[in-house]
Amino acid sequence: MQPEPLDGNAIVYADGAFNTPNGKTAHGLARFTKRYRVLGIIDRRYAGQDSGAVLDGKPNGIPVFACLQDALTQSAEQPRYFVIGLAPDGGRLPEAGRTAVREAIEAGLNIDSGLHDFISNDPNLMEAARRYGVQVRDVRKTPDRDDLHFFTGDIETVDCLKLAVLGTDSAIGKRTTAWLIVHGLQDAGYRAEMIGTGQTGWMQGAKYSMIMDSCINDFVSGEIEHAVVSAYRNEKPDAIVIEGQGSLMNPAYPGGFEILAAGRPDYVILQHAPTREEYDGFPGYKLHPLQEQINAIKVVSGREVLAVTLNHEGLAPGEIENACRKVTQETGLPCFDVLAHGSGELVQLISRYLRRHADYPR
C-alpha cells in the first residue's frame, strides 16, 4: 500500500518541457516523491501516454494530459496542488505558464513553484490566490536570515559514511542517482539519508534539505552542514548521500565546492554523460574531460571519486555497457548506469566502506 504523501495529490505542469532538460523537476516528481501523490503531468506533446514510458521506457501509471482541464476531468482523484515542473535556464516562468497558474488558482489548487520567477511577487496572481483561498509556495525564496545557519565545524562529529553525488555538468542526473543510491542502500538493510540541495529534492520530500541557490552565500556552507548534522543526529544512519548541484567547471552553474568543503564527504560519486561535448545550454563551452574533472575534485577536496555513474542520454540500450567499459578504461574507476540497470552493484561497492552502528540490528 502506498504511504500517504506529506502534502497531497498533485498535477505537475511541464508543458513543452517534459522529456527535455527544462523539465527535470517534472522528471524527478514522475520518478519519485514523498511530498505528493502525482496524478498526472501536463504536456500536450505527450498527451495520452504514460509519463514513465515516455521518460525511461518504464510505465509508472502516471498519465500525461494535454491541459489542466483534462487532468481535472479525467483523474479518478482530485488534486490539491499544482506544481510547476519546469526548470528552464534562469528559472523564469513563460507567459503560457503564468496563464496555467491562474487557471489552477481559479480551480482552487495550491501552487508550488521552484522557479526564480516568484509567483508571490505577481500582484494579480496573488490577488486571485486570496480570492480563491489557495496557498502559494515559492520554494526558492530566500529564507529569513534568522532561520539560517553559519558553519560551526560540527560536521566533524558525523561518524558515518558520507557520499557526495557530483556531476560533470548541470542537469545530468545527480539527484536521481542520489535517490537511487539511498533507496538501494535501504533495500539492502542499511539506514541511509538523502540530503537535498535543490528545489526538486525538497519537492520529492527529502527530510533533510536546503536549497542552495536560494541561500545567501555566507550561509550556504552552514546550511549544508546543518542538514548533514541534523540527519546524522536524528536518524543515526549508516550512510548520508548529498545531492550535488551544477558542476565544478560549469560556466553558468559552478557547483560542488561548498558541498566538498562543508559536507566533507568521504568519497564522491561522479555522474557523467559521455555523449555531451558542451556544457548544457551553453554552446561553445566545451565540457572539460572526465579525467580532468576527477582530478579537480581531488585537488579541491583531497577526496577520491569512488565510481562514475553514467547518464545514458544519446545512447541506445545496447550501447550502455560498452560506454561504461570505456569510462573504466579511461579512468580506472568502476562505472554503473543505475537508472538503466539499478543500483545493486554500486550499493555492493559502497557497502565495503560502511561503518556499521552497533545499535542497529541486521
Side-chain angles (χ1 to χ4, degrees):
M1 201 173 148
Q2 197 177 31
E4 284 300 309
L6 294 173
D7 291 345
N9 295 338
I11 297 295
V12 178
Y13 178 81
D15 200 25
F18 195 65
N19 205 27
T20 78
N22 286 349
K24 67 178 184 178
T25 295
H27 302 162
L29 296 176
R31 286 173 175 142
F32 165 78
T33 175
K34 295 179 182 177
R35 187 165 298 280
Y36 315 103
R37 179 179 293 112
V38 177
L39 303 180
I41 310 289
I42 294 175
D43 189 330
R44 68 194 68 225
R45 298 172 310 145
Y46 297 106
Q49 299 185 53
D50 180 281
S51 61
V54 170
L55 193 58
D56 298 320
K58 302 173 185 176
N60 61 7
I62 299 173
V64 183
F65 298 105
C67 61
L68 177 60
Q69 189 57 39
D70 285 355
L72 294 174
T73 56
Q74 296 174 30
S75 294
E77 300 179 74
Q78 286 301 301
R80 185 181 175 198
Y81 287 88
F82 184 82
V83 182
I84 308 298
L86 306 175
D89 290 334
R92 309 300 296 181
L93 181 65
E95 196 55 42
R98 201 169 295 276
T99 300
V101 168
R102 174 172 286 279
E103 182 184 359
I105 289 172
E106 292 174 354
L109 302 184
N110 298 307
I111 309 298
D112 280 355
S113 173
L115 299 177
H116 286 302
D117 206 355
F118 300 138
I119 306 298
S120 55
N121 286 355
D122 186 313
N124 294 324
L125 290 177
M126 290 308 295
E127 192 280 326
R130 287 187 289 271
R131 186 164 69 249
Y132 288 93
V134 305
Q135 178 190 50
V136 172
R137 293 191 290 194
D138 284 309
V139 177
R140 259 180 170 162
K141 268 208 163 176
T142 302
D144 189 282
R145 283 169 172 78
D146 292 341
D147 296 327
L148 297 173
H149 301 84
F150 196 73
F151 186 81
T152 64
D154 284 350
I155 193 73
E156 304 303 337
T157 67
V158 177
D159 184 28
C160 72
L161 181 68
K162 300 190 299 298
L163 298 170
V165 180
L166 305 186
T168 56
D169 196 6
S170 61
I172 204 167
K174 298 179 290 291
R175 184 195 65 256
T176 297
T177 290
W179 276 120
L180 289 169
I181 292 171
V182 168
H183 293 157
L185 286 167
Q186 291 170 345
D187 290 344
Y190 297 102
R191 286 176 174 170
E193 288 295 327
M194 163 84 158
I195 305 299
T197 57
Q199 70 276 10
T200 307
W202 181 89
M203 288 177 170
Q204 289 178 299
K207 186 176 180 181
Y208 298 94
S209 293
M210 56 85 64
I211 301 175
M212 191 178 294
D213 60 4
S214 75
C215 194
I216 297 165
N217 190 60
D218 273 359
F219 297 96
V220 169
S221 290
E223 286 294 292
I224 293 169
E225 179 191 48
H226 178 71
V228 173
V229 171
S230 297
Y232 176 69
R233 290 177 176 172
N234 295 340
E235 310 299 336
K236 296 181 172 56
D238 299 296
I240 289 174
V241 182
I242 310 171
E243 170 200 5
Q245 292 294 320
S247 69
L248 289 184
M249 301 185 222
N250 186 299
Y253 308 114
F257 296 101
E258 303 96 331
I259 289 169
L260 291 169
R264 305 187 72 75
D266 298 297
Y267 296 97
V268 172
I269 306 294
L270 188 60
Q271 182 91 358
H272 178 60
T275 61
R276 289 197 192 185
E277 297 181 357
E278 300 173 318
Y279 284 102
D280 180 52
F282 296 94
Y285 286 85
K286 188 173 175 59
L287 200 75
H288 290 78
L290 176 58
Q291 188 60 58
E292 189 174 334
Q293 300 220 31
I294 292 169
N295 293 341
I297 289 168
K298 187 169 183 178
V299 168
V300 167
S301 66
R303 297 301 191 250
E304 299 286 347
V305 174
L306 190 63
V308 175
T309 46
L310 196 80
N311 177 322
H312 57 244
E313 65 183 26
L315 295 173
E319 297 175 314
I320 293 173
E321 287 190 16
N322 190 48
C324 286
R325 278 195 295 270
K326 285 183 177 179
V327 167
T328 297
Q329 289 168 1
E330 178 184 349
T331 65
L333 296 171
C335 180
F336 310 94
D337 188 330
V338 295
L339 185 58
H341 300 146
S343 63
E345 288 185 275
L346 178 55
V347 165
Q348 283 184 6
L349 173 63
I350 292 169
S351 68
R352 301 175 198 166
Y353 299 86
L354 289 170
R355 297 187 284 278
R356 292 176 180 267
H357 288 270
D359 64 342
Y360 183 41
R362 299 298 178 199

